[in-house]
Amino acid sequence: MTRTFTCIVCPNGCEITAEYEGARVGAITGATCPKGEDYVRQELTDPRRTIATSVPVDGGELPLVSVRLNRPVPKKDIFRVMEAVNAVRLQAPVSIGQVVLADVCGLGADVIVTKNVPRA
């Protein structure tokens, strides 16, 4: 089988074509850097994604704070991770880098705060 990808790793946005059969990846063409080839192999064998969202903050200058994963998780687990994140409610103050959920869903990724929200 053949599949075409647009690489999202660097600003080049290469159109990369890969031949594959099941989990076996064959020829990869169109990548202008090694990152593109690695990206396509990852997408075909174990696709991963990061999440950026927000959670409520009680007693803060802002009602919400942005959070993200510190590393990608398997794509198939995104909804399970979001369920866990949606159950979070923080108390101000919160700080950039603060771990909200360590090892979320046992996937080796932490949910971290990406904005300071001082107490109101």
Side-chain angles (χ1 to χ4, degrees), residues 25-115:
V25 180
I28 297 176
T29 57
T32 59
C33 72
K35 292 177 185 177
E37 198 167 312
D38 293 342
Y39 168 74
V40 168
R41 288 186 191 284
Q42 181 78 46
E43 278 297 293
L44 287 170
T45 59
D46 182 25
R48 293 180 170 264
R49 298 290 184 271
T50 61
I51 296 171
T53 188
S54 56
V55 296
V57 178
D58 292 329
E61 288 184 356
L62 298 170
L64 299 171
V65 67
S66 53
V67 297
R68 69 172 177 86
L69 293 176
N70 67 344
R71 65 181 41 104
V73 296
K75 186 177 175 182
K76 65 181 177 54
D77 293 313
I78 292 292
F79 290 106
R80 191 163 59 103
V81 169
M82 279 306 299
E83 271 185 39
V85 172
N86 287 338
V88 170
R89 186 169 200 101
L90 300 175
Q91 187 67 41
V94 295
S95 304
I96 293 173
Q98 179 180 332
V99 175
V100 173
L101 290 172
D103 190 24
V104 66
C105 299
L107 297 170
D110 297 336
V111 178
I112 60 170
V113 172
T114 62
K115 181 179 180 85

Side-chain angles (χ1 to χ4, degrees), residues 1-3 17-21 24-29 40 44:
M1 299 180 78
T2 301
R3 186 168 163 196
T17 302
E19 295 176 10
Y20 66 99
E21 186 173 322
R24 190 185 73 63
V25 180
I28 297 176
T29 57
V40 168
L44 287 170

